[in-house]
Amino acid sequence: MAADQRINTQGILRFSASRVLLLVTVLIGVVAGVLWRIQYPVASWLLIMTAVVSVLHSLWGMIVNIRKGHVGVDILAIVALMSTLAVHEYWAGWVVVLMVFSGEAIEDFAESKAQRNLEALVEAAPSVAHVQGQAPGQESSWNTVPVGEVNVGDTLLVKPGETIPVNGVLHSAQATLDMSMINGEPLPVDLYEGSKLSSGAINGASAIEMVATAKSSDSQYQKIIELVKSAQESRPAAVKTADLLAVPFTVVSLAIAFMAWGFSRDPMRFAEVLVIATPCPLLIAAPVAFMGGTGRLAKAGIVIKAQDILERLGEVSHVFFDKTGTLTQKKPRVDRIELSAWSQQRGVNPDQLLISAGMLEGYSSHILARGVETAALDLIHARQLPRPVVNDARETTGNGVRAKVADSIIAVGRLKFVDSTVTDGQIASEFPALASNEMVTYVSVDGHMAGRIILKDFPRDNAKDMIRRLDALGVSRVTMLTGDKSDSANIVANAVGIRDVRAELLPEEKVAAVEGARIEPSVEPGRAARLVMWLKGLIGINTEQNISMMVGDGVNDAPVLAASDIGVAMTDGSSTAASESAQVVIMNDDISMVPKGIIISRQTRRIMLQAVFGGIIAAILCMIVAAFGAIPAVLGALIQELIDVVCILWALTAIIDRKITS
């Protein structure tokens, strides 16, 4: 946390310095205005010294930027100030100084506004945890320790209003958590014993106990913070392009100024042109727009590793999806219950059979157990049914669970475990055949086959709409990559609307499929994308149009996520592999964020281009008019200030949520 506090302190000091310089400039202007008639020499020297200080300040800033590898147009402000002093246009020089310091103040305000969503994540990071300890001869107590000292398996107490410190499992019967800091979900979420907890969630009104399943450094929230810091420190290619445009803009501005001076033989024209040469759209508007877009993504639960990714999101031409856990719901869900002839003869209630089986599955570690248990708990809560008491539950690993429920012995699991006397032929004659995407667990009562529970890994409810939206955005090349068999993959693909299915793939074959997308014909880019590509080509930047995106769960898709141009990992907070292998992490496990991220990228780039080129065009037109002597120096400086403010404020609108259209 010390590093985070240091970063925030630096930001506060920088913001305060820019405000102080702006305030001093305004005060000097007021004093000089009062003294202008009665003490002209004093007023003049005040304005001259203000201009000199600003020149030195701009020179230092230019040197710092060059050392960082950023090309700037500070030279224009320096030359403009010196020219106003040379022709004794002190008030025009003061306005230019006002522009320099107000531009810095607006930039600081804009960036702090845009980064608020990102910094909120960092500031809310948990720093301590209450760990259960027991002194000899005493009852267990809670020791408050730094979160870094929490070990896997520790029992933790989370007080009301505190942040879940590490990933874990809920030990209390129930908890209500605020997940908005990690997935943007505004409504509290109710969880029950055994549910997974993600670091960064905020506990509700009651204290809860949990068991840590990861150390602090491996927990989801800390991984998010690493991504946030990476994004804050990066610069997108579009911003670098804007930096490089500073060179031709400076040349054009100086050329207009010298020509105006040369044709008119009046040095005043040189100053009148340069005070309008506004650098702020290039220096400030581009980074502010992209920081705004980054903050808007974070607000939607999309965290990017670098701001370059924000620009490339809008250029995606081919999207690859993993099947299981990405297009499907990650966990098998109960589809139906099939009763045996024995159960039908005795009038067994299928809901009660599900509830009994679900209570037993709470003692199982099998992959299907959670789906049965969840369906049973949902039924109990929906109908307010009594929860049966389970006694003497024993799991046979890999086979099932047997226990006493009421006066009966219930067994849940594999066929031979629940009833060893039943043959596969008898099952085939009594129950219909399973589809390729169906899974089954059997239930017996007092040794008699009672029925079976059919589970499916269903497609996500919004997956089909998501594919439709991608197509509407012009991203028509969509492919499913999976290691599953073709018939199972095609069932999911047909349900969500994907036509290109590549099944039964090994990990290296998935990587080859994604890498092959780079040589496929590209889709036609939009107008903003074409303009950016033209500018990149003009200054020698690679304009490759084929951008591949791989969307997976971040656990077993690490190689293909890393191989794609943009790797997108979807997580509900339980997976930490996501931030290691992907450039984008969707924190709310919502697949609809894929097209939304593309839309935010395109909107951000559009706003950036409007701010940058709008400012450049307005400045050049005004410089041409000033070259004919139609705009006095003081008025020109005021016009330049107005252009700067409008461009920067327009760039700041990138953080505002807009109607989600292409």
Side-chain angles (χ1 to χ4, degrees), residues 6-18:
R6 188 161 55 249
I7 292 172
N8 291 340
T9 300
Q10 291 173 352
I12 292 172
L13 290 175
R14 190 164 75 102
F15 180 72
S16 299
S18 63

Side-chain angles (χ1 to χ4, degrees), residues 126-141:
S127 58
V128 298
H130 311 298
V131 181
Q132 188 178 52
Q134 188 169 355
Q138 298 182 5
E139 296 182 357
S140 59
S141 59

